[in-house]
Amino acid sequence: MGICNGRTVIITGAGGGLGREYALAFAAEGAAVVVNDIRHDAAQAVCDEIVKRGGRALANADDITRIDTAQRIVDAARDAFGDVHVLVNNAGICRDKMFASMTENDWDDVMRVHLRGHFCLSNLLARAWRDAAKAGTPVDARIINTSSGAGLQGSIGQSNYGAAKAAIAALTLMQAAELHRYGVRANALAPAARTSMTENVFADMMKKPELGAFDYYDPANVAPLVVWLGSAQSADVTGQVFEVAGGMISVAEGWRTGPRVDRGARWAPGEVGPAVAKLLADARPAQPVYGS
């Protein structure tokens, strides 16, 4: 009897890497899984693996960045398994360049897949869950978004990716606040793991250890938190961003109002400098941008 028995999960970008591990772990805990990936063969291979282990899964290759095609994903999930209870927004791409060398396409492609990709399915399901709750049907739903350390602390050469991931963290806070009344909980992850997006950029750091040693960057290490967040057991947790890697789970502390000074009147430009210097001296320093 798994902690996700009777629940249906849609996972985007689930044909490999983190998404694949999430799909396998959800299925092992009793969930029916819609494995969405633009590479249909990859999605089907994950489904075949789940079914071989006795689970239920459906492969889907529809585009997550358009409302009409995202609706097809939701419809396919309902046709196969009934209600949808959990959405894991995992799909993403990288177009890494220094900011001064970045092109318009580099920017737009990353924003489309990450940020718009997080919007379309979430919006469709949020509407359905809201309408169900208003009609008196109990809702116990989850949105699990994917942010990144690049979005929380910044990362040299990833201004497009980091900006999208920072926006996703903020989106999670607003989803949590707005949808709580309808029985929906929204949280986000900032995972560190070996995937097709990271294994080349961080090859030395994320290389597999010697046989028998704990593989800190194995993407399977992230899956237990994701599955728990998708289960009924996480009903009291919403609006959080979790950093996770290896055996470490951390709750990220976001932007908050820090030290302040109030002159009680308009500042003269020449007076601002000393006031800012005092504020910065009193404030807790931000984590350094990765790579700086």
Side-chain angles (χ1 to χ4, degrees), residues 127-144:
R127 289 171 183 266
W129 291 329
R130 176 199 62 189
D131 293 348
K134 285 186 173 183
T137 301
V139 174
D140 186 25
R142 305 287 184 270
I143 297 173
I144 303 170

Side-chain angles (χ1 to χ4, degrees), residues 14-16 34-48 57-62:
V34 177
V35 179
N36 169 266
D37 199 291
I38 57 172
R39 305 162 300 164
H40 188 273
D41 289 349
Q44 188 60 59
V46 175
C47 287
D48 292 344
L58 173 71
N60 177 280
D62 284 309

Side-chain angles (χ1 to χ4, degrees), residues 148-239:
S148 168
L152 303 180
Q153 290 97 32
S155 178
I156 296 294
Q158 292 190 306
S159 58
N160 50 1
Y161 178 79
K165 291 303 192 183
I168 288 166
L171 172 65
T172 303
L173 301 182
M174 290 174 275
Q175 287 174 330
E178 293 182 11
L179 300 176
H180 188 278
R181 72 190 77 176
Y182 305 125
V184 182
R185 307 294 181 257
N187 295 286
L189 309 167
R194 186 189 313 107
T195 71
S196 60
M197 289 173 56
T198 62
E199 61 186 351
N200 293 324
V201 178
F202 305 109
D204 289 338
M205 182 176 74
M206 292 191 175
K207 65 184 179 182
K208 290 186 178 182
E210 295 180 3
L211 189 64
F214 176 54
D215 188 353
Y216 188 84
Y217 290 107
D218 185 343
N221 297 332
V222 181
L225 173 62
V226 181
V227 173
W228 183 83
L229 287 172
S231 76
Q233 296 181 7
S234 66
D236 294 333
V237 179
T238 195

